Amino acid sequence: MTRTSRENKAVRNVPRTRKPARAAAERPAARRRKSGGDTPYHHGDLREALLQAAERVLERDGLAGLTLRAVAREAGVSHAAPTHHFGDLTGLVSELAAIGFRMFNAAMNAADESETHPMMKGLASAKAYVAYAQAHPGMYGVMFRSARLDYSRPSLHEAADASFAGLTRGVGASRQEQISEQSLSLDQAAAIARAWSLVHGFTTLLLDGRLTSILERLPAGTTADKLLDAMLRSTGGRPPGP
Amino acid sequence: MTRTSRENKAVRNVPRTRKPARAAAERPAARRRKSGGDTPYHHGDLREALLQAAERVLERDGLAGLTLRAVAREAGVSHAAPTHHFGDLTGLVSELAAIGFRMFNAAMNAADESETHPMMKGLASAKAYVAYAQAHPGMYGVMFRSARLDYSRPSLHEAADASFAGLTRGVGASRQEQISEQSLSLDQAAAIARAWSLVHGFTTLLLDGRLTSILERLPAGTTADKLLDAMLRSTGGRPPGP
DNA sequence: CTCATATCTTTACGATGTAAAGATAAACCG
DNA sequence: CGGTTTATCTTTACATCGTAAAGATATGAG
């Protein structure tokens, strides 16, 4: 790469000089600190800046475009800077996924609470699930389809667990029974697995475009949301929980 | 990596020489032709050999290990040989996915036909679905998780379509109605989406290890198959088709 | 038998992840 | 306040990988 074909893939406006033109010119606008100091050697909060850059890159260029070097470029730092904060690509992706799970949980809980009718809570949460995935397909991919996730990281472990706990709670509520932390009956487990499988499967297929052949054969203008609704309602009266 | 750390990742016994030690030693055992000719310059059926090598690499090293060069090494040819037969990595992966879909369809159809009771056909197919994914997780990943699929390739397009057609047929059979090729009622679409979402979602979550927390809380020794069975039976009497 | 063509190998290049060593500023300590 | 330690960031380096292009070799058509 001499300087030419660099732009052909998800790389944009970030200026890049390689010659020993020492710093200062290398660091684009993104590098500002609170009190207006201009592009200091030490960033101040690079970790956070990198995560935000990563999310931008992800939603702009997709999972394949989410590379350590692309994130570093987006944040305006050297390509090896992320290593210090996340160890490796798996680290960065895992932290990003944790953020995704937290947003995800918040959206589901909000949907659950905004719905007053108890029987509709599950349906509202399910719609929030799909809506989140449609609004943030990159994040959803990182959370559920990336091979590079390290669940031994506490942040990811906790955020993903919270997601599962919410689901369990929602299913318990719709069955009007308390679900234990320790043990499950086969019936309870089946209900949880069914709720999760349904919504997760639908979302995955939808994002992969595998439901378009179905949608095309429906009365014109039938949206994915409509199909989801019909699918959940016909399940037998027990729509999945948050 | 000079020659030492080369083996740390999914690379094995394939001898590799880099110096201009001209050919002949570069081609390992895999390169034999029918009549015992030894490692001819022209392989004879390299395309098929590469696909088989790819499947071995995939199931041994996972999706991340499935690279053009790794496949070439496994087949004992130069790293650029696959290009001639598949164009690029997307091409090879797509052809491999097509093979996966064909195996997949065969397994589902076999399950469907081996079950005599009409109401059980769907359940049998669903179990075959999950069983295939568990037996060939790499293939399942290529088929449903890979970002590098080119559905404009006829082989892949047809194989994937056949899969969908089988599903539709199965759902139609369990509802005892003919399902048109052109248009669907919302009810029919919902039934198809539900069957597919349930089984596909369950499989995805299972392969990702996201159901272990559920399985652990069940009576000791409860297998994923048992959970699947319970999940499908509680759906309301309409288990998914093939 | 000659030669066009398909098949395979070499060579080359830009990209990526990651390790290691160097530069710089912030923090800490006397 | 001055000097040193330490965390943060940059450079440099290297093994891959995908892919393009040019060279080698066998196959088959005439």
Side-chain angles (χ1 to χ4, degrees):
Chain A
M1 175 201 312
T2 51
R3 176 86 339 124
T4 34
S5 75
R6 189 89 169 274
E7 311 297 325
N8 64 349
K9 193 185 186 183
V11 177
R12 303 168 324 143
N13 51 358
V14 183
R16 267 160 276 110
T17 32
R18 173 158 307 194
K19 330 143 194 177
R22 297 283 308 104
E26 281 225 25
R27 314 205 192 91
R31 292 288 299 282
R32 301 285 147 173
R33 186 91 172 78
K34 35 190 170 185
S35 61
D38 68 334
T39 75
Y41 193 98
H42 282 42
H43 183 283
D45 195 5
L46 182 56
R47 190 192 150 91
E48 195 57 32
L50 285 170
L51 287 171
Q52 292 177 15
E55 188 172 347
R56 284 196 301 274
V57 171
L58 175 61
E59 299 297 354
R60 171 162 29 86
D61 306 326
L63 242 179
L66 185 65
T67 70
L68 274 182
R69 290 168 109 110
V71 170
R73 279 193 297 268
E74 175 79 19
V77 294
S78 85
H79 72 263
T83 300
H84 190 70
H85 293 276
F86 302 100
D88 55 7
L89 182 59
T90 297
L92 190 150
V93 169
S94 298
E95 293 302 324
L96 195 60
I99 293 176
F101 272 111
R102 287 195 281 267
M103 289 170 53
F104 188 61
N105 296 342
M108 304 255 288
N109 289 336
D112 182 270
E113 287 164 14
S114 76
E115 178 59 59
T116 56
H117 197 304
M119 289 308 285
M120 290 296 136
K121 276 175 175 289
L123 210 153
S125 297
K127 287 185 176 177
Y129 191 117
V130 178
Y132 175 84
Q134 284 184 299
H136 309 277
M139 279 297 224
Y140 193 82
V142 159
M143 293 157 58
F144 285 108
R145 133 179 301 166
S146 169
R148 306 194 70 142
L149 286 188
D150 178 8
Y151 282 95
S152 74
R153 289 188 169 243
S155 52
L156 177 56
H157 190 76
E158 283 166 22
D161 266 15
S163 194
F164 177 74
L167 173 75
T168 304
R169 192 157 29 84
V171 172
S174 87
R175 303 177 107 228
Q176 300 173 354
E177 64 183 16
Q178 190 70 16
I179 292 191
S180 146
E181 288 278 311
Q182 270 84 39
S183 72
L184 294 171
S185 72
L186 185 57
D187 221 47
Q188 290 173 324
I192 296 172
R194 182 159 48 84
W196 201 0
S197 297
L198 256 182
V199 190
H200 180 64
F202 183 87
T203 305
T204 303
L205 293 172
L206 178 64
L207 288 190
D208 282 358
R210 283 193 161 87
L211 294 183
T212 51
S213 64
I214 294 183
L215 289 169
E216 282 167 355
R217 284 181 234 187
L218 281 171
T222 309
T223 154
D225 239 63
K226 201 97 180 164
L227 179 59
L228 172 66
D229 193 88
M231 179 183 90
L232 294 178
R233 288 182 189 279
S234 70
T235 298
R238 254 180 285 151
Chain B
M1 200 190 296
T2 52
R3 174 76 354 114
T4 35
S5 75
R6 188 85 172 276
E7 309 297 326
N8 63 349
K9 191 183 184 183
V11 177
R12 303 167 325 142
N13 51 359
V14 182
R16 267 161 273 110
T17 33
R18 173 158 307 196
K19 332 144 196 178
R22 297 281 307 102
E26 281 225 30
R27 313 205 194 91
R31 290 289 302 282
R32 300 285 146 174
R33 187 91 173 84
K34 36 192 172 185
S35 60
D38 66 339
T39 76
Y41 194 98
H42 282 40
H43 183 285
D45 194 5
L46 182 55
R47 187 192 152 90
E48 195 56 32
L50 285 171
L51 286 171
Q52 292 176 15
E55 188 171 350
R56 287 197 300 275
V57 170
L58 175 61
E59 300 296 354
R60 169 161 32 85
D61 305 327
L63 243 181
L66 185 65
T67 70
L68 274 182
R69 291 168 110 109
V71 170
R73 279 194 299 266
E74 176 79 18
V77 294
S78 85
H79 71 262
T83 299
H84 189 71
H85 293 275
F86 302 100
D88 56 7
L89 181 58
T90 296
L92 190 150
V93 168
S94 297
E95 292 303 322
L96 194 60
I99 293 176
F101 272 110
R102 287 194 281 266
M103 291 170 53
F104 189 62
N105 296 341
M108 305 255 290
N109 288 337
D112 183 89
E113 286 164 15
S114 76
E115 177 59 61
T116 56
H117 197 305
M119 289 309 285
M120 292 294 132
K121 277 176 175 289
L123 210 153
S125 297
K127 287 184 177 178
Y129 190 118
V130 177
Y132 175 84
Q134 284 184 299
H136 310 277
M139 278 299 224
Y140 193 82
V142 159
M143 293 157 58
F144 286 107
R145 193 191 292 267
S146 170
R148 306 193 67 139
L149 287 188
D150 177 8
Y151 281 95
S152 74
R153 289 189 168 243
S155 52
L156 177 55
H157 190 77
E158 283 167 21
D161 266 15
S163 194
F164 177 75
L167 172 75
T168 303
R169 193 158 28 82
V171 171
S174 87
R175 304 177 108 227
Q176 300 173 353
E177 64 184 18
Q178 191 71 14
I179 292 191
S180 147
E181 289 278 314
Q182 270 81 39
S183 71
L184 294 172
S185 71
L186 186 57
D187 222 46
Q188 291 173 325
I192 296 173
R194 183 157 48 83
W196 202 359
S197 297
L198 256 182
V199 191
H200 180 63
F202 184 87
T203 304
T204 302
L205 293 172
L206 179 64
L207 288 190
D208 281 358
R210 284 193 159 87
L211 295 182
T212 52
S213 64
I214 294 183
L215 289 169
E216 282 167 355
R217 285 181 233 188
L218 282 171
T222 309
T223 153
D225 239 62
K226 200 98 178 165
L227 178 59
L228 172 68
D229 192 89
M231 180 182 90
L232 294 178
R233 286 183 189 279
S234 70
T235 297
R238 253 181 283 149

